Amino acid sequence: MFSWLMEQTLLLSLVCSLLLISHRFLLSQIGAHYTYSLWAIVPLLPLADVLQTLLPQYFTWLSPNQALGVIQQYYVLATDTASMSSSVFKFLYLPYLYAAVLLALVVHLVSVSIHLQRLTWRAKPLAIESGKLNVLIHPSIQSPMLVGLIVPKILVPNSFALLDSHQRQAIIQHELYHYQRGDLWANVLAYSLTMMFWFNPLMWLAYRRFRQDQELSCDAQVTATMETDSKIAYSKALLAYSQHAPLSMLHTHYGDKTILKERILQMKKQHGKNTLVLMGVTLLLSVSALTLNQQAQAGDSQNHTQAKADGIYPTIRIEPTYPIEAAKEGVNGYVQLSFDINPTGKVSNVIVTKSSPAGVFDDSALAALKQWEYQRSAKGQKGAQVQLDFVIHLPDESVERIQVR
């Protein structure tokens, strides 16, 4: 689990960094709608990796499942074995720390959602044309918002009644567009992914920018056909509701003081929106996510790049224990093993085909390899081979290594 999280967080960090750094340029060149759609690549990256693992038969065009022709080689370092005993206690608490922080975030989210739900129950209906959604008014609400995943509603503050009819209607249209586009569910997905990678600050920055782009996109939709006077009135409504902090991380909030200036300036730079182009961008992002994950896997460390290119590689690899006596005497060696991989990735029929020195490292290599798990595949693999090199220190990079076929 943690190896997968680390692998994915590196790739997500790269993508989020690119989107954050290039955000101003993208917004000026392609507009709010397309910039917002680019954030779809973030959840698509881990999803693509999961799909490739669970349904490898459908992704052979990315990674053809060829016969494994090269013996996979891995180093087993004596230094790793020696340090493992001293660091095992430090490692054991990591899953508990991760789970504790994740649980705290979930509890906070649930408590805020319950508070907002109670406000909704006590809110009074407001007689205003709002299409499919009911509009409720409550004195404790500070900014108009869309709430409710199952039965969405628009919540507004008491000050909403003081706005003129054009401003009220523009705000309602803004929240309706959130509803029509499914932004509440998009927020659930985005925040769930952020909580999963809570240890990565870039994910929090990306989530914040994603929510801001969500509002910019809605502004662009609502003001696309407005005259200048209407846009000014809309901007005044933004100003009136921009001084309050959001009530929830999931629900949409009309006011956001952190990007008030950006939202007003963006109204002057209208970019068109084409549904077919948005679908094309989404498809392009999906293919990019699959390709990026494949490249990330192909660039993994240790000598199993060829195995990943062949479409068969370990997803869980248990390190063999370096025999203590061999480590004390400075003995190096290797063990070559043959084994089968079933379609679920489990290892079976493990045998030692060659080892040197004979019998020194065999038991350790056998015990470890039986616990390995490989990528799922349609047919599995018969007669796969791996070589475990037991070395006190890594050989110098200038020393040429020959792979045995």
Side-chain angles (χ1 to χ4, degrees):
M1 175 64 178
F2 279 97
S3 60
W4 182 84
L5 285 173
M6 291 302 103
E7 179 181 305
Q8 291 301 309
T9 198
L10 290 174
L11 193 56
L12 289 172
S13 295
L14 172 63
V15 173
C16 289
S17 297
L18 290 175
L19 289 173
L20 290 170
I21 292 171
S22 61
H23 180 267
R24 181 175 296 182
F25 172 79
L26 291 172
L27 200 60
S28 64
Q29 297 300 313
I30 64 177
H33 289 298
Y34 298 120
T35 301
Y36 176 64
S37 68
L38 288 176
W39 287 107
I41 196 173
V42 176
L44 285 173
L45 285 171
L47 177 62
D49 184 73
V50 172
L51 289 177
Q52 288 182 72
T53 302
L54 298 178
L55 304 170
Q57 63 272 25
Y58 296 107
F59 299 94
T60 53
W61 57 280
L62 281 172
S63 178
N65 191 7
Q66 304 167 0
L68 196 59
V70 177
I71 295 180
Q72 302 172 54
Q73 293 176 288
Y74 300 91
Y75 290 119
V76 181
L77 302 180
T79 51
D80 290 346
T81 303
S83 62
M84 188 176 298
S85 58
S86 62
S87 63
V88 66
F89 178 76
K90 296 179 182 179
F91 176 77
L92 286 177
Y93 79 87
L94 288 178
Y96 298 104
L97 174 62
Y98 175 84
V101 176
L102 185 61
L103 179 61
L105 290 171
V106 172
V107 169
H108 174 71
L109 183 63
V110 170
S111 64
V112 170
S113 299
I114 291 174
H115 171 66
L116 197 56
Q117 186 62 49
R118 288 174 178 171
L119 291 179
T120 305
W121 290 339
R122 293 195 293 265
K124 298 179 180 179
L126 185 65
I128 185 173
E129 181 62 34
S130 59
K132 299 179 180 179
L133 302 182
N134 294 326
V135 179
L136 306 176
I137 189 168
H138 195 285
S140 297
I141 301 299
Q142 298 175 325
S143 174
M145 66 183 72
L146 179 68
V147 300
L149 291 172
I150 307 301
V151 184
K153 302 176 182 67
I154 298 175
L155 278 180
V156 297
N158 283 348
S159 58
F160 182 80
L162 302 178
L163 302 175
D164 63 47
S165 60
H166 295 292
Q167 289 176 322
R168 291 199 301 267
Q169 201 57 44
I171 291 174
I172 294 299
Q173 291 301 317
H174 180 101
E175 300 305 329
L176 276 175
Y177 188 59
H178 277 306
Y179 164 71
Q180 294 166 358
R181 195 169 57 179
D183 283 347
L184 286 180
W185 288 104
N187 293 345
V188 170
L189 175 61
Y191 194 62
S192 298
L193 193 64
T194 304
M195 289 194 299
M196 184 183 299
F197 295 93
W198 59 261
F199 51 86
N200 187 345
L202 279 172
M203 294 298 294
W204 293 98
L205 292 174
Y207 178 76
R208 180 184 179 188
R209 186 68 257 184
F210 161 78
R211 291 296 303 274
Q212 292 171 347
D213 284 344
Q214 191 178 83
E215 298 302 324
L216 289 175
S217 179
C218 280
D219 289 341
Q221 175 69 19
V222 174
T223 61
T225 58
M226 281 185 180
E227 299 295 334
T228 302
D229 292 342
S230 298
K231 288 184 179 181
I232 292 174
Y234 186 82
S235 300
K236 290 180 179 178
L238 284 177
L239 181 61
Y241 292 120
S242 63
Q243 303 305 313
H244 308 291
L247 257 179
S248 169
M249 294 295 289
L250 300 183
H251 301 92
T252 67
H253 292 269
Y254 181 73
D256 187 344
K257 64 180 179 181
T258 59
I259 57 165
L260 175 62
K261 181 180 178 180
E262 186 178 11
R263 291 176 72 174
I264 294 175
L265 291 176
Q266 191 63 28
M267 292 181 200
K268 301 178 181 179
K269 305 174 183 178
Q270 290 292 341
H271 294 260
K273 181 194 70 171
N274 186 293
T275 303
L276 291 177
V277 175
L278 283 174
M279 293 174 61
V281 170
T282 303
L283 179 61
L284 178 63
L285 292 177
S286 302
V287 175
S288 300
L290 291 170
T291 306
L292 281 171
N293 258 299
Q294 191 66 24
Q295 290 174 348
Q297 292 171 352
D300 207 1
S301 62
Q302 295 218 25
N303 243 342
H304 54 286
T305 302
Q306 179 63 42
K308 288 197 171 191
D310 290 336
I312 301 175
Y313 57 88
T315 56
I316 296 179
R317 185 165 59 85
I318 305 301
E319 288 292 331
T321 302
Y322 207 107
I324 295 178
E325 292 300 322
K328 288 180 178 179
E329 296 176 8
V331 177
N332 296 333
Y334 69 88
V335 180
Q336 290 183 1
L337 305 103
S338 175
F339 57 99
D340 297 334
I341 307 169
N342 65 27
T344 64
K346 300 294 183 180
V347 170
S348 61
N349 301 326
V350 183
I351 59 172
V352 175
T353 57
K354 188 177 181 181
S355 63
S356 177
V360 175
F361 304 105
D362 295 24
D363 291 342
S364 177
L366 282 168
L369 185 56
K370 289 177 181 179
Q371 301 177 68
W372 287 21
E373 292 185 15
Y374 277 72
Q375 185 188 32
R376 292 172 180 265
S377 57
K379 299 180 180 179
Q381 176 69 37
K382 297 289 185 181
Q385 298 180 77
V386 68
Q387 176 171 313
L388 302 178
D389 293 330
F390 290 77
V391 293
I392 303 299
H393 301 288
L394 281 173
D396 190 273
E397 293 182 357
S398 62
V399 177
E400 182 180 2
R401 294 182 58 81
I402 301 175
Q403 291 184 321
V404 182
R405 292 186 178 274

